[in-house]
Amino acid sequence: MDWKNTFSPLNINADDVLPELMLTHLASWGTIQIVGNDAKSYLQGQVTCNVVSLEAQQMTFGAHCDAKGKVWSVFRIFHHNGGYAMFQPLSAIEAELRELKKYAIFSKAELTHCSDITLGLMGAQAQSWIDSHTQTQGDVRSIEGGTAVKIDSQRWLLLVNSEQAVELVNTIEATKVDESLWTRFEIEQAYPVVTQAEQNEHIPQAVNVQALNGISFNKGCYTGQETVARAKYRGINKRAMYIVKGNIESPLEDVVQLERSVGENWRSAGQLMIHYTFADNTTIGLVVLPNNLEEDTELRLTSQPNTRWTIEALPYSLSDDQ
């Protein structure tokens, strides 16, 4: 049996108790790998985060922008296999890699779409499992066949070669679930997920990268820095990413548009970046909205006008004091 077919949906509601240890194949995620003598300095001049100060046991969010400050990619970056890995949605990688490589010809840095497998370890016992299979401490650790990266208190990313992926899937005593549960946790943590559909649409602050310590404002020049700096120091950014929640009447399509109430009328609000539906048809998602909306603004699905959605509290502050 193909190991990729061993993961099944977990039909749950928001308050249901989850299995203590779960494993998923993150088929819609991938990584760009950067190696070479100039890998650190090259990335430092391309992305919003401070690569120079990134320790071997650390992971950080970051963004890569075009010259106008619009985001090609929001990623998690960490040390991997003698270089760096940038973990991000798979659909964003083609354009992101093309743009990121534009000036690499002048540097001793090789950028490739990494062939390693992305697995997600989740649950209350995820930390214990990692501790028993690694020899070091920190949020980034060497593991057999690759690297383990702490995502949050109940999630670890495992970036491993194909042989180790097969070994893990076949031997681990964990519930095998499909990757939609990983999506749920990304939404609940309000971590930006910039897929191909969202590329070149937003500046980093519009998807809350600054709130996740993914922007260094004192590291020096990088592509799009002028726009990012103006958004902080002149207050030009008028948008932010929010968690939204509501009901659905039928399964959602890939592209989901929201409307917001304006008096007795409805106006276009934005497109869901990602979404997750519970067993009771309650759905949560991430969307970029004007950052001056009232908290009680009523929303609905454009394609399902009888639905009602609300803006939920974020798990972090959007204060721009970093």
Side-chain angles (χ1 to χ4, degrees):
M1 183 179 182
D2 185 352
W3 66 269
K4 296 180 182 178
N5 295 326
T6 61
F7 303 95
S8 303
L10 197 62
N11 200 27
I12 54 170
N13 289 315
D15 296 330
D16 289 348
V17 177
L18 295 170
E20 292 198 333
L21 189 63
M22 297 166 285
L23 184 72
T24 188
H25 176 217
L26 298 172
S28 64
W29 293 78
T31 51
I32 291 174
Q33 183 166 314
I34 308 95
V35 297
N37 292 338
D38 294 339
K40 181 188 297 185
S41 59
Y42 182 72
L43 284 176
Q44 185 76 348
Q46 296 294 318
V47 300
T48 62
C49 56
N50 195 330
V51 180
V52 169
S53 65
L54 186 65
E55 300 290 342
Q57 288 77 40
Q58 292 179 319
M59 176 273 289
T60 186
F61 274 96
H64 177 228
C65 306
D66 66 10
K68 296 180 180 179
K70 295 295 182 70
V71 169
W72 284 112
S73 170
V74 174
F75 52 81
R76 297 171 173 95
I77 186 170
F78 50 90
H79 292 263
H80 176 68
N81 287 354
Y84 297 92
M86 300 165 66
F87 175 66
Q88 58 198 284
L90 184 62
S91 68
I93 285 181
E94 181 180 359
E96 160 66 353
L97 186 57
R98 180 188 69 236
E99 296 300 318
L100 196 59
K101 291 172 68 173
K102 274 188 173 179
Y103 308 105
I105 190 173
F106 304 111
S107 299
K108 294 180 181 178
E110 181 182 359
L111 297 91
T112 57
H113 185 177
C114 183
S115 61
D116 288 342
I117 305 298
T118 50
L119 300 174
L121 193 67
M122 301 175 284
Q125 293 300 317
Q127 182 71 51
S128 296
W129 190 95
I130 291 293
D131 289 340
S132 66
H133 288 79
T134 56
Q135 303 297 320
T136 59
Q137 300 297 309
D139 291 346
V140 179
R141 307 183 189 183
S142 294
I143 193 172
E144 185 71 27
T147 305
V149 183
K150 188 172 186 177
I151 300 298
D152 53 42
S153 62
Q154 294 198 61
R155 285 191 298 161
W156 282 76
L157 164 68
L158 307 179
L159 183 61
V160 294
N161 60 43
S162 56
E163 294 82 4
Q164 183 60 20
V166 173
E167 176 71 15
L168 273 169
V169 173
N170 289 336
T171 61
I172 192 171
E173 294 184 3
T175 304
K176 315 287 175 46
V177 300
D178 74 5
E179 65 175 333
S180 63
L181 192 63
W182 185 274
T183 300
R184 170 194 171 177
F185 290 135
E186 292 288 277
I187 295 168
E188 290 177 340
Q189 296 292 329
Y191 291 150
V193 180
V194 176
T195 62
Q196 183 181 39
E198 298 286 339
Q199 287 179 305
N200 283 120
E201 292 292 327
H202 312 292
I203 66 172
Q205 287 97 325
V207 290
N208 306 358
V209 178
Q210 82 289 352
L212 297 164
N213 300 313
I215 303 175
S216 172
F217 291 99
N218 54 17
K219 59 168 274 187
C221 295
Y222 59 87
T223 305
Q225 180 198 20
E226 184 177 350
T227 298
V228 176
R230 284 205 309 268
K232 175 178 174 65
Y233 297 113
R234 298 186 184 178
I236 67 170
N237 178 50
K238 304 301 180 184
R239 301 178 73 78
M241 187 185 70
Y242 296 95
I243 303 170
V244 289
K245 179 181 179 181
N247 66 306
I248 62 172
E249 298 175 324
S250 59
L252 297 180
E253 304 293 334
D254 291 338
V255 178
V256 182
Q257 298 288 342
L258 286 177
E259 296 177 330
R260 60 186 177 95
S261 62
V262 182
E264 297 182 356
N265 300 312
W266 295 85
R267 293 181 182 173
S268 176
Q271 178 176 305
L272 289 184
M273 302 171 75
I274 53 172
H275 55 81
Y276 176 85
T277 300
F278 293 98
D280 63 359
N281 282 336
T282 298
T283 299
I284 55 176
L286 296 175
V287 63
V288 175
L289 298 170
N291 58 17
N292 61 353
L293 289 183
E294 297 294 333
E295 293 181 0
D296 60 353
T297 297
E298 196 170 50
L299 305 168
R300 72 180 185 184
L301 298 174
T302 303
S303 61
Q304 301 178 33
N306 291 326
T307 58
R308 290 297 180 269
W309 287 54
T310 56
I311 300 172
E312 303 294 293
L314 290 169
Y316 50 72
S317 172
L318 289 178
S319 174
D320 202 15
D321 295 331
Q322 290 126 326

